[in-house]
Every structure is written in C-alpha cells, then in structure tokens.
Amino acid sequence: MFIGGNWKLNGDNESLTKLTQALVKGSEKLFDTRVVVFPPAVYLSHIIDTLKNSPIKVGAQNQCEQLEGAFTGEVSAHMLQDIGCDYVLLGHSERRHVYGETNEMINKKMRLAFEKTLLPVLCVGETLQQREAGNAQKVVLQQLQIAFDGLSNDEIANTVIAYEPVWAIGTGEVATPAQAQEMHASIREFLNALISDKARDVDIIYGGSVKPDNAAEIFSQADVDGGLIGGASLKADDFIAICKAAD
Ligand code: PGA
C-alpha cells in the first residue's frame, strides 16, 4: 500500500515542523505501507532533514518540464534529486485546471523525473462534466496514454498512479468504493495491455476527500492500493489513522 500526504499551499516552518515530528512518532508502528509527504517546495530540504531517520519519504508537489535555463519561478527535476527528494507529484488536477498543464507537458515532466531517478506519482481524473457525459474512463485512459508516451515498461511499472476524480478533491464528496474500484480496474486493464505481468505491481491509489472514517472501505477494494490525501494529511492524527487503515 502507498499513502501520500499532499500538503499543497499550507503551513509554515513552525506548523510543518510540528506536523512532521508528530508523523515520525505516529508512524513507528507502520509495517507495510510506503508513506510519502509532499511539502511546499521551500520547505523540502528542511522536511527531508527532519525525516532523515524515519521510513517516511519526501516528494515535491511539482517540477518544471525543462531541466535548466530561463524559466523564472520553476524548480527542476535535477534540483529535486540534488536535495534528496525521492518522489514528485505530477499532473495534479490543480496543476492541470488552475495552471493549465496539458497532458503533453506532464509527459515531458515524467521523462525528466525518471531521467533524474525521481519516482513520479502521476495524478489523473475526470471532471464532473466529463463523468456526467459518460467520458470518465476515456479521459483518464487518455491522460495515462499521453503521460506514458516514450517511457520504458520498467518506468511505467515504477509509476504510482493516483486516480483523483476532480469533483471529489477538497469537496467532501468522495467517490463510492464501487466507483473507485471500477476506474481502478479499468486502469489495471489498460496497464495489463501495456506492460503485461508488471501491471500487477503498479500502485494505483485513490485521492479525493479520503478521511479516517472512509479510508478503510475504499482501501479494501481489490484494485485500490492506497490513497493520496490532501486536507486530512495536515492533521497528524488523521493522517496516521489513514496510514493505519492501509497498513
Ligand atoms: P483532498 O485532496 O483529500 O483534500 O480531497 C486530495 C488531493 O488533492 O490530492
């Protein structure tokens, strides 16, 4: 199982240090779950340092689709690798819908992440309008198809896929376990066709209003291998409870 905590644009030095210290304590009894937190970029080095002797890993929330040059305000895959980041979140719906990231940009980012040995957590998901029009599956599989373009089978197998229906992110409206399972099964089938046996090992996680009281039921679905947690990852007790539900 894989649990990610996406802190988004929240917290400051003091509150995020406290949160991290509480996570270190709370995660002592976790056995089989990969736990990764995604702090805001300016705090990455500090959080990596704070988690040095803990099993919790650190990822960035985004990365530039270029490696270096005149790209004011951006952070490159090389820089993330350089400071000891293990993971990078790519294609989050807020990047796609607020900042206009396209599937093609996300594909470039995926290639650079692997080039710099970062493990991508690739987010995909449909809007409510796309779901209501009956296009949810088509949209999600197309996002995957383009994001994976030019990657090797091993790279695809090492990607964590986060299915996050846009209508469930930060809204309190969670996909039903059956809706999540249905999409995750389609993603698994798509991976089977692409990388055959290796598809079994890919972590396909669900994101969108996961809380301590709904986590266990979602994670119990056959093709749900964990979760990407936004709001509830900012409270240590809630996040640890969700990690335990996965464990
Ligand atoms: P949420 O966010 O848990 O607050 O819905 C999930 C995400 O954006 O990854």
Side-chain angles (χ1 to χ4, degrees):
M1 296 293 263
F2 180 107
I3 301 290
N6 177 9
W7 296 350
K8 308 192 182 184
L9 186 64
N10 292 297
D12 55 23
N13 212 355
E14 192 186 335
S15 65
L16 297 180
T17 302
K18 273 193 193 143
L19 172 62
T20 308
Q21 286 163 347
L23 293 182
V24 171
K25 271 209 195 109
S27 61
E28 272 162 9
K29 293 202 183 82
L30 291 177
F31 302 107
D32 289 326
T33 303
R34 271 199 285 171
V35 180
V36 182
V37 293
F38 296 87
V42 286
Y43 301 116
L44 281 168
S45 283
H46 170 54
I47 304 295
I48 289 170
D49 208 39
T50 311
L51 290 171
K52 215 168 29 205
N53 299 314
S54 123
I56 303 176
K57 304 279 187 209
V58 180
Q61 295 176 12
N62 184 29
Q63 159 222 301
C64 186
E65 74 276 19
Q66 305 289 343
L67 264 192
E68 62 178 356
F71 303 100
T72 302
E74 293 290 328
V75 172
S76 75
H78 170 71
M79 293 166 183
L80 296 176
Q81 177 196 42
D82 191 37
I83 62 163
C85 252
D86 292 303
Y87 289 83
V88 62
L89 208 57
L90 294 179
H92 188 276
S93 88
E94 285 142 24
R95 299 300 319 170
R96 292 176 188 266
H97 297 288
V98 184
Y99 294 98
E101 287 191 12
T102 62
N103 286 325
E104 288 71 20
M105 280 166 78
I106 293 158
N107 174 246
K108 282 193 189 165
K109 294 181 183 209
M110 290 284 289
R111 292 173 187 225
L112 288 178
F114 279 116
E115 195 180 311
K116 295 296 168 186
T117 67
L118 298 167
L119 289 173
V121 176
L122 169 66
C123 304
V124 293
E126 82 287 358
T127 62
L128 187 59
Q129 210 183 14
Q130 289 163 333
R131 174 163 282 266
E132 283 173 351
N135 291 330
Q137 200 187 70
K138 194 174 120 206
V139 167
V140 166
L141 298 187
Q142 193 192 32
Q143 288 171 339
L144 287 173
Q145 182 88 51
I146 301 175
F148 286 152
D149 187 40
L151 298 187
S152 70
N153 285 6
D154 280 340
E155 288 169 340
I156 295 171
N158 278 316
T159 302
V160 176
I161 299 173
Y163 168 57
E164 300 202 297
V166 178
W167 45 272
I169 296 177
T171 57
E173 191 174 335
V174 61
T176 64
Q179 279 172 327
Q181 169 56 24
E182 190 186 20
M183 186 63 82
H184 284 229
S186 306
I187 295 173
R188 188 87 62 198
E189 209 177 294
F190 168 86
L191 290 171
N192 265 321
L194 208 60
I195 57 171
S196 51
D197 281 358
K198 292 194 169 100
R200 266 199 320 256
D201 303 329
V202 177
D203 280 335
I204 308 174
I205 64 176
Y206 169 82
S209 299
V210 177
K211 307 281 178 231
D213 60 356
N214 60 24
E217 200 188 355
I218 296 172
F219 298 162
S220 69
Q221 302 298 305
D223 288 294
V224 178
D225 306 312
L228 183 58
I229 320 301
S233 71
L234 293 167
K235 294 184 205 122
D237 290 350
D238 285 2
F239 189 64
I240 293 294
I242 292 169
C243 292
K244 287 196 171 140
D247 211 44

